[in-house]
Amino acid sequence: MAVASLYSSPCYVFASLLCFLLLSGVSFAADPFVSYDFKVSYITASPLGVRQQVIAINDQFPGPLLNATTNFNVVVKVFNHLDEPLLLTWNGIQMRRNSWQDGVLGTNCPIPPRWNFTYQFQVKDQIGSFFYSPSLNFQRASGGFGPIVVNNRNIIPIPFPQPDGEIIFMIGDWYTQDHKALRSMLDSGKELGMPDGVLINGKGPYKYNSSVPDGIDYLTAHVEPGKTYRIRVHNVGISTSLNFRMQNHNLLLVETDGHYTSQANFTDFDIHVGQSYSFLVTMDQNATSDYYIVASARFVNETVWQRVTGVAILHYSNSKGPASGPLPVPKTDVSAPWSAMSQPRAIRQNTSASGARPNPQGSFHYGQINITNTYILQSLPPTTINGSLRATLNGISFVNPSTPVRLADRNKVKGAYKLDFPDRPFGRPPRLDRSIINATYKGFIQVVFQNNDTKMQSFHVDGYTFFVVGMDFGIWSEDKKGSYNNYDAISRSTIEVYPGGWTAGLISLDNVGVWNIRVENLDRWYLGVETYMRITNPEENGQTEMDPPDNVLYCGALKNFQKDQHHSAATSTLNGHLKLMFSILMALLATVFTFC
């Protein structure tokens, strides 16, 4: 066959197309893959004008965007260049059937220093705004966090006009001491005290008055007049609730923690630790000057806490000058307890919008399902247990097992944990323990978070979202169920619980695994305010829970199973994918030319 005719033959064209598709990473499976390499290391930065060590991902602080679409498979190859063990957790990603990838101590052995590990999970039936962060040793206080966006599939419309662009803000309180110093402070029995400031996307405040030191690097968000942007905001801080506002611009709430909300306008919005929100913001001002973007401390003495304020700049392309003058103040009133709850109570589910699936979000009639169990989880102020400062949930200050729970189950390790977590507070003396909740697969439970601490707290449930049916001050009792929202309660994974108040959620237990329940405020989490739900299917046949991954790490009672790592698990996984791809390519090419 002549060279020219070979190149023009249908067989050659088809073979070339096969090569291109395979080598460009196009998946023939129903659900595509996206892959990321995360090098986690220390870098030096001065976000508040003081040089300090921060945790970066690929030398970026905050870390890079992890961008996927509903049902995509996500591969994240993590290289631990820190001087201590590491786990990354994926706030709000449900890890359906796959708690092995959740990245907390109850489910995973830590990644040792100078080791690598590959997370692989599917963003099954999810859309929305989330974030990742370290889960060990107070490390999130030094960084290591970044945003996650799970996009709708093309066949599922979003319930608003397509925005002209997107802007992500990662806000959080910040100390000029690193996580090791803050951890030592808690270990010595001291509280952390007031933060040194607030960062917006890893940068300090614009110099809006003389209290801000010169030379601070601040964030500028560039926008076009008349355009509408989707603004995704994540509070990745340590312990402080923040009020977010954009001077002279309305915030149209459209999504939180992966669920579309009934759309409502706000001038400012309280975002609590661990929460994620999406707003639509239209650039409809006259641009006589730039505008302030503010994230300031909330539910504290705001006069005393003035330095705990982050300020960025909103810059129109036709702006006529810099921002100046006083910062805008929140218009929502939190001085009176009842008015403080008006904003979160106004967040309702958009029942007619499709989420990750074509069916409307309101098609699951949660209010008509019988509750099978109730768990009242009460948090109290820190106390001394065995000579150390600790904090408790139902009187138990959690101690993580040395062998992760499901790993212990699969390998028949006895005594790794206890299945005796109390379903309500009993007023017993506080104690350290490894107690977890023995939950029932396919149960429908009510979880009441009762905050008897003195601070605003956020509680998070891994592996699930829950319908936020009630929120009030005082002590929860059965008669409170009469005031529940049983129609359009928002479903989310992280909820605020006011000091002296309670928040109730309903959860359908359809995700087998071991799932962390924790306070997101890092100080209280570090001191022991967490537990786990263990959910097993007694008729497990491999359909409701995945097996441990081939690269599972071993520790605790199983540490002798762990082999030394001579190369990264990430490299092994990548090589495996390449070998498989090459084998498929060769087989397909052989078939093509056999029939040609």
Side-chain angles (χ1 to χ4, degrees), residues 439-469:
T440 303
Y441 177 54
K442 291 190 176 179
F444 189 72
I445 65 172
Q446 172 178 235
V447 178
V448 179
F449 298 104
Q450 179 75 55
N451 182 4
N452 287 7
D453 201 338
T454 58
K455 297 181 177 181
M456 177 72 77
Q457 295 183 341
S458 308
F459 279 88
H460 177 85
V461 180
D462 279 351
Y464 287 95
T465 59
F466 48 88
F467 293 96
V468 184
V469 291

